[in-house]
Amino acid sequence: MSENTTKIMQARDMKKKGTTQKVGKVFGLIGVYAFLLIMAIIVLFPFYWMLISSLKSLAEYRLSPPTFIPRAFLFSNYIDAFTTANLGRLFLNTMYVGVVSTLLSLVITIFTAFAFARLEFKGKELLFAALLATMMIPGELFTITNFSTVISFGWLNTYTVLIVPFLVSIFYIYLLRQNFLQIPNELYLAAKVDGTSDFKYLWKVMVPLSLPTLISITILKMMGAWNSYIWPRLVANDEAHRMITNGLRNAFTTTSGDVNYPVQMAAVALVSAPLFLVFVFLRKYIMSGVSRSGIKG
Amino acid sequence: MVDNRQQWKAWLYLAPAIVLLLIFTVWPIINTVVMSFMEGYSGLLKAGGQASFSIGVNNFARVIGQPTFQQSLKNTILLCVLTVPISTVLALLIAVALNSIKVFQKGLQTVFFLPYVTNSIAIGMVFAAMFNIIGNIGTRREVISSYGVINDLIRFISGNPNPKNYINWINNGSDYWANMFVMVVYIVWNALPFKILVLLGGLQSINKQYYDAAKVDSTPRWRVLTRITVPLLSPMLAYVVITGFIGGFKEYTSIVGIFGENMGPAHAPGRMNTMVGLIYDSLEQNKQGEASAAALILFGIILVVTMINLWVSKKKTHY
């Protein structure tokens, strides 16, 4: 056998091996995509079902087997949902509580995180550790006493009761303190030399530099207001102060008889829509905040 | 050296948080412990409570002795034991798959995060609608107009359109395990996004060299997953399991989303109640003593489970 033929055969073997590996890889990749696609469909299905159901007529909704694209798009369901559940009032209530509590909470968080990150005082480490330890306690434990406390304050059925008890979040303080600690000390010392006050330094330097964390906190806090259910049900379940989730659940509690499911689904879609919009535009901040928390809302 | 001026200033910055924490966090901790030993205490006099009480551990005994407590504890433990492993394994597989692709990675990542930004009551109502049967079910004269999309899909896939071939998931007369199945599906769906996010973040920080070494040795995929990925990801896995258990023991609103405040199907209200639900029931009946005892029991359980988790993960995790 000539040297040339051996070379050719070797090359052919190599090629063969390369192709089988490549084929295996392609099949593997197809498998991976197929798995992801199936999971994605399962994850998305409830959203799809909510949307198409919200556009059907009641008669069409009741069909078995169901239609997967509505025969006629009944947008009037959304108007019905808006009036049945009195969503306008609920939206306003929730927005008011969300905005006010977010603003106040941000101010308190900034002050507290600044004290823990930049100022020196006796018992700092101990106090911070004690605060972190309270994060382990389930919220229900606080609720029992807080319920009595807010009643004795005369706060039942007010906006105050929905805002004040939750203004301090140890988690947000922790998050912001970590961010403040990353800002180099030299900046602080330089500002001191220039005669800048602590307060001015905090607002002119530290807050702007921590903007991403502050945005994350804002979104999580707003989402918290939007999704709160248990506390409002306990302390402010009157028409004037009712929050959106409570209103939604209350408006469609009867499971027997003629529940208009398409209208119910339209209401659910309307309540979910703002969360989606926030998610679409501010995904980065939500994801970075969430991955560090383990807390929903 | 800490000068006095700065001390004073620091406490000024801390003041708002400290005041609020004293009222709404520190006082409740003390008060809950105290109330749990005040037998038969119902504090709200206006709501028909009484100021008289004796001191003892009877609250704990009464809470534990209730059949509703045993049912709630059973439900809560079952939900934890079923949902945490299922959601963790699924999230791991999805995260590994997402990490191995380039095209559409960002888009799919967004899709898998979507269930996170939802209202658990609202989407619970969607799940309830998907499993719901419309008609006069659970009575002698059954009339069914719609089986719900899940039953329709099962009938379609099994190729058996027989009217008898359906499962009563959540309606009147439904089975306990059918209820439980719906809850598990919903909670897993809800728990996936956070777990995928954390695990994918962990995967992306694993040094590529390990995988290159495995490629040189042409290690099969499965071995790469079990011998490289999982051990290196173990701190993240421990994190999602621990937070999963803590969340699982506090499960409540997802059940309200599916079953409403009845906490169960029409014929068995309260059957799907959880520990948190039990606390709120006692509170709404103006039994602060028992509610406090139940809350402390829940805290104790969460503490013990977290300790066990930490102990196991310390032995098993590889840093």
Side-chain angles (χ1 to χ4, degrees), chain A residues 43 47 171 219-220 223 227 275-276 279 286-287 289-297, chain B residues 110-120 123 189-195 197:
Chain A
V43 163
F47 298 119
F171 171 63
I219 298 166
L220 291 178
M223 277 170 65
N227 293 334
L275 290 172
F276 282 106
F279 176 65
I286 301 180
M287 287 169 119
V290 168
S291 59
R292 285 177 285 180
S293 73
I295 300 162
K296 180 149 183 163
Chain B
T110 307
V111 165
F112 286 116
F113 194 70
L114 267 182
Y116 188 87
V117 282
T118 53
N119 183 315
S120 53
I123 302 297
W189 181 87
N190 227 328
L192 277 178
F194 171 69
K195 293 193 166 80
L197 185 69

Side-chain angles (χ1 to χ4, degrees), chain A residues 8-28:
Chain A
I8 291 169
M9 280 173 72
Q10 262 177 356
R12 206 172 55 193
D13 275 1
M14 289 283 282
K15 209 172 164 189
K16 219 178 186 176
K17 208 174 165 193
T19 345
T20 41
Q21 254 183 5
K22 239 180 209 162
V23 168
K25 215 176 168 188
V26 166
F27 270 112

Side-chain angles (χ1 to χ4, degrees), chain B residues 65-212:
Chain B
Q66 281 171 13
T68 47
F69 172 81
Q70 285 143 26
Q71 182 69 31
S72 303
L73 186 64
K74 179 185 157 197
N75 290 338
T76 311
I77 291 174
L78 265 175
L79 285 176
C80 276
V81 176
L82 292 172
T83 58
V84 174
I86 294 174
S87 60
T88 307
V89 170
L90 263 181
L92 177 66
L93 291 176
I94 292 172
V96 169
L98 274 177
N99 196 38
S100 70
I101 62 168
K102 286 195 188 76
V103 189
F104 298 131
Q105 194 201 36
K106 276 270 170 301
L108 281 167
Q109 206 183 329
T110 307
V111 165
F112 286 116
F113 194 70
L114 267 182
Y116 188 87
V117 282
T118 53
N119 183 315
S120 53
I121 300 265
I123 302 297
M125 287 161 79
V126 177
F127 270 76
M130 281 161 43
F131 284 99
N132 192 27
I133 295 172
I134 303 174
N136 195 11
I137 194 170
T139 54
R140 285 217 189 138
R141 262 181 275 167
E142 282 200 350
V143 184
I144 291 173
S145 62
S146 164
Y147 295 94
V149 66
I150 300 293
N151 271 327
D152 283 326
L153 284 175
I154 292 172
R155 276 144 52 102
F156 176 74
I157 291 165
S158 66
N160 183 2
N162 186 336
K164 290 270 166 218
N165 183 27
Y166 68 88
I167 298 168
N168 184 353
W169 296 107
I170 56 170
N171 293 82
N172 193 14
S174 57
D175 186 56
Y176 175 74
W177 288 104
N179 296 168
M180 193 47 93
F181 181 84
V182 176
M183 286 318 307
V184 169
V185 169
Y186 180 41
I187 294 170
V188 167
W189 181 87
N190 227 328
L192 277 178
F194 171 69
K195 293 193 166 80
I196 294 172
L197 185 69
V198 171
L199 294 178
L200 191 61
L203 282 173
Q204 282 164 349
S205 63
I206 291 180
N207 196 332
K208 291 279 174 293
Q209 282 179 352
Y210 295 106
Y211 292 107
D212 292 339

Side-chain angles (χ1 to χ4, degrees), chain A residues 8-260:
Chain A
I8 291 169
M9 280 173 72
Q10 262 177 356
R12 206 172 55 193
D13 275 1
M14 289 283 282
K15 209 172 164 189
K16 219 178 186 176
K17 208 174 165 193
T19 345
T20 41
Q21 254 183 5
K22 239 180 209 162
V23 168
K25 215 176 168 188
V26 166
F27 270 112
L29 212 58
I30 290 173
V32 166
Y33 273 105
F35 169 70
L36 285 174
L37 198 68
I38 291 168
M39 291 313 294
I41 289 170
I42 293 173
V43 163
L44 287 178
F45 188 78
F47 298 119
Y48 163 74
W49 198 248
M50 168 183 83
L51 281 179
I52 62 155
S53 300
S54 71
L55 293 166
K56 288 177 179 177
S57 68
L58 188 55
E60 189 183 352
Y61 180 85
R62 285 178 162 174
L63 284 180
S64 206
T67 49
F68 283 84
I69 299 163
R71 285 174 190 156
F73 293 97
L74 222 67
F75 288 103
S76 62
N77 284 339
Y78 281 83
I79 297 161
D80 288 349
F82 212 82
T83 48
T84 318
N86 197 10
L87 283 181
R89 178 77 210 194
L90 297 172
F91 269 110
L92 285 179
N93 284 346
T94 312
M95 281 310 285
Y96 179 76
V97 170
V99 169
V100 174
S101 63
T102 303
L103 287 177
L104 291 175
S105 183
L106 278 176
V107 171
I108 292 174
T109 308
I110 289 169
F111 281 153
T112 317
F114 178 68
F116 278 119
R118 216 13 107 235
L119 301 174
E120 292 300 330
F121 56 96
K122 271 186 200 139
K124 184 164 95 165
E125 301 306 320
L126 190 72
L127 184 62
F128 196 65
L131 291 188
L132 287 184
T134 62
M135 283 175 73
M136 289 210 320
I137 300 170
E140 292 70 34
L141 208 145
F142 304 123
T143 310
I144 302 164
T145 300
N146 287 345
F147 182 51
S148 310
T149 307
V150 297
I151 289 174
S152 61
F153 286 174
W155 285 359
L156 225 50
N157 295 329
T158 57
Y159 288 118
T160 319
V161 78
L162 296 171
I163 296 169
V164 176
F166 304 104
L167 283 181
V168 185
S169 157
I170 310 290
F171 171 63
Y172 299 155
I173 293 171
Y174 169 78
L175 216 59
L176 194 61
R177 173 186 170 264
Q178 297 304 96
N179 205 320
F180 279 173
L181 284 177
Q182 285 168 3
I183 297 168
N185 231 341
E186 285 76 18
L187 233 54
Y188 181 63
L189 297 176
K192 277 269 142 180
V193 169
D194 290 347
T196 316
S197 70
D198 273 353
F199 188 77
K200 205 172 164 192
Y201 174 76
L202 171 62
W203 290 99
K204 294 277 160 155
V205 180
M206 289 182 103
V207 167
L209 281 175
S210 312
L211 212 55
T213 306
L214 292 171
I215 295 174
S216 291
I217 293 174
T218 304
I219 298 166
L220 291 178
K221 186 83 188 159
M222 288 298 281
M223 277 170 65
W226 202 259
N227 293 334
S228 64
Y229 172 75
I230 301 174
W231 180 250
R233 188 184 76 191
L234 223 48
V235 295
N237 212 357
D238 62 329
E239 281 294 328
H241 304 96
R242 190 171 292 144
M243 301 283 275
I244 193 115
T245 312
N246 301 79
L248 179 71
R249 188 70 261 191
N250 288 2
F252 302 100
T253 27
T254 43
T255 41
S256 58
D258 279 331
V259 178
N260 196 331

Side-chain angles (χ1 to χ4, degrees), chain B residues 248-307:
Chain B
F249 273 103
K250 290 161 74 171
E251 207 59 71
Y252 177 66
T253 41
S254 51
I255 294 153
V256 177
I258 302 249
F259 290 103
E261 279 162 26
N262 263 336
M263 301 299 279
H267 71 289
R271 189 167 74 181
M272 300 308 287
N273 208 350
T274 59
M275 291 293 292
V276 171
L278 197 72
I279 296 170
Y280 288 116
D281 287 348
S282 313
L283 191 57
E284 277 169 8
Q285 290 161 22
N286 198 15
K287 293 181 187 163
Q288 276 89 350
E290 284 179 27
S292 301
L296 284 177
I297 292 170
L298 175 64
F299 178 48
I301 293 172
I302 290 177
L303 208 62
V304 169
V305 170
T306 309
M307 292 296 181

